[in-house]
């Protein structure tokens, strides 16, 4: 069994770069288009694997060329894909990504195969969950699957990192089963319905999540680093100011690195320090 198990999303990313985003109703000329495998779960898994992690991926692709490209990539990266399913019901998930000259991005994900994956599919790999050291998950799969995953982690006493993206309101029942919640500032605001324009407001929102049962909140703050919050207090772990070229997957790399460091026995602060560094490298 792998030490880290990522239960999550695959996608084929269609990325277009441009000087600036088009306004409503406007057509512009882009610079270039790239087609690359992605998805939050897939990115997190590859990040942990490239750091030397023993990683397994659980999820679903479509029975199409994009699905085959993704599975071939994972096999070449040394990731265990024994429990990656293939469906004829929907194509492999597609993500449409726009990036402008300031490295900002806009992303639309068409769930497709990711949303075909069911609670029944998850129950079929309960033994995998029970025997791993860390589970990593996101919200690009159906919420009922993530809720059941959190319950399995609770039953088997397996720590769970939940990257709550794309952000949606989450129940106290789900949050109480999450060991490490890793929202960015926008996601933190959506989950708590609380402003996050200042550090004090970010800390207030993190405390709200602790009060709702999350064990550790790690709020990523871009180049400012990350806020570490738990019952022992709160501390901002500094980041690395760098010139960003493309911020897509920075948070995913952060989560993959966090998982790898934690299963290797690092303290949470040490794990966040590594994750900040990996996230900074990713955006260059």
């Amino acid at each position: 069994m792998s030490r880290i198990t990522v239960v999550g999303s695959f996608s084929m990313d269609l990325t277009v770069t441009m000087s600036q985003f088009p306004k409503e109703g406007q057509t512009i000329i882009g610079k270039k288009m790239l087609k690359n495998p992605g998805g939050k779960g897939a990115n997190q898994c590859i990040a942990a694997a490239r750091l030397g992690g023993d990683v397994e991926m659980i999820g679903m692709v479509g029975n199409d060329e994009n699905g085959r490209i993704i599975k071939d990539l994972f096999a070449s990266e040394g990731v265990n894909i024994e429990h990656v399913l293939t469906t004829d019901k929907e194509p492999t998930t597609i993500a449409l990504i726009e990036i402008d000259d300031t490295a900002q991005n806009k992303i639309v994900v068409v769930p497709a195969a990711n949303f075909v994956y069911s609670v029944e599919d998850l129950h079929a790999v309960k033994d995998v969950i029970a025997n791993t050291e860390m589970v990593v998950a996101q919200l690009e799969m159906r919420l009922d699957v993530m809720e059941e995953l959190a319950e399995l982690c609770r039953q088997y006493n397996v720590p769970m990192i939940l990257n709550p993206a794309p952000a949606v309101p989450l129940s106290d029942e789900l949050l109480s089963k999450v060991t490490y919640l890793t929202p960015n500032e926008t996601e933190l605001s959506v989950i708590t319905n609380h402003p996050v324009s200042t550090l004090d407001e970010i800390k207030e929102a993190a405390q709200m999540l602790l009060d709702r049962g999350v064990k550790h909140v790690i709020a990523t703050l871009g180049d400012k680093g990350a806020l570490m919050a738990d019952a022992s207090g709160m501390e901002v772990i500094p980041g690395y100011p760098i010139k960003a070229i493309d911020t897509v997957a920075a948070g995913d790399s952060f989560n993959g690195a966090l998982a790898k460091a934690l299963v290797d026995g690092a303290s949470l602060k040490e794990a966040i320090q590594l994750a900040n560094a990996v996230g900074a490298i990713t955006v260059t």
Side-chain angles (χ1 to χ4, degrees):
M1 295 292 181
S2 298
R3 300 182 69 200
I4 300 170
T5 299
V6 180
V7 182
S9 55
F10 295 96
S11 73
M12 185 58 72
D13 294 351
L14 305 179
T15 303
V16 178
T17 61
M18 59 204 68
S19 297
Q20 60 187 29
F21 298 125
K23 298 175 182 177
E24 186 174 350
Q26 180 187 20
T27 299
I28 64 171
I29 301 298
K31 293 183 175 181
K32 62 180 179 180
M33 196 279 283
L34 300 172
K35 178 180 178 181
N36 292 306
K40 290 186 179 299
N43 292 338
Q44 292 166 6
C45 187
I46 293 295
R50 289 183 177 176
L51 288 166
D54 177 12
V55 191
E56 175 162 6
M57 184 75 187
I58 291 174
M60 183 174 283
V61 297
N63 186 15
D64 51 29
E65 180 186 9
N66 287 337
R68 289 186 285 275
I69 290 171
I70 289 170
K71 292 180 79 170
D72 286 347
L73 169 66
F74 271 68
S76 70
E77 293 280 353
V79 174
N80 183 344
I81 56 171
E82 177 184 355
H83 297 106
V84 173
L85 304 180
T86 301
T87 180
D88 291 316
K89 295 180 180 179
E90 291 279 358
T92 299
T93 299
I94 293 289
L96 305 176
I97 303 172
E98 297 179 354
I99 301 174
D100 71 4
D101 280 349
T102 69
Q104 296 302 304
N105 62 70
K106 296 183 177 182
I107 304 174
V108 177
V109 178
V110 183
N114 285 336
F115 272 26
V116 176
Y117 195 90
S118 67
V119 170
E120 290 72 26
D121 294 325
L122 183 65
H123 281 174
V125 293
K126 287 194 295 185
D127 288 348
V128 176
I129 304 300
N131 290 287
T132 195
E133 295 180 34
M134 178 73 70
V135 165
V136 183
Q138 332 75 40
L139 297 178
E140 286 186 331
M141 299 177 80
R142 284 169 23 194
L143 188 57
D144 62 333
V145 173
M146 293 297 99
E147 290 171 338
E148 185 62 18
L149 175 63
E151 172 58 22
L152 291 176
C153 288
R154 184 196 66 80
Q155 289 180 19
Y156 298 132
N157 197 30
V158 175
M160 178 182 184
I161 296 174
L162 177 61
N163 178 221
V168 295
L170 300 174
S171 69
D172 290 357
E173 183 178 6
L174 171 58
L175 290 172
S176 68
K177 299 168 186 173
V178 174
T179 317
Y180 306 97
L181 190 74
T182 59
N184 64 20
E185 292 164 271
T186 301
E187 293 150 4
L188 182 63
S189 181
V190 170
I191 296 168
T192 61
N193 194 29
H194 188 79
V196 293
S197 57
T198 67
L199 181 58
D200 283 343
E201 289 177 344
I202 290 169
K203 289 181 176 179
E204 290 168 1
Q207 185 61 53
M208 292 169 67
L209 292 171
L210 295 176
D211 292 343
R212 294 174 65 187
V214 179
K215 309 300 184 298
H216 306 272
V217 177
I218 301 133
T220 56
L221 310 175
D223 62 9
K224 297 186 292 293
L227 174 69
M228 177 178 69
D230 54 29
S232 65
M234 298 189 188
E235 180 182 356
V236 174
I237 312 302
Y240 298 87
I242 41 82
K243 177 174 174 55
I245 302 301
D246 177 1
T247 60
V248 174
D252 301 335
S253 297
F254 179 99
N255 280 274
L258 183 73
K260 171 62 166 60
L262 288 172
V263 300
D264 284 348
S267 68
L268 182 55
K269 182 174 181 177
E270 291 168 338
I272 293 171
Q273 288 171 332
L274 173 67
N276 279 342
V278 171
I281 291 169
T282 299
V283 304
T284 62

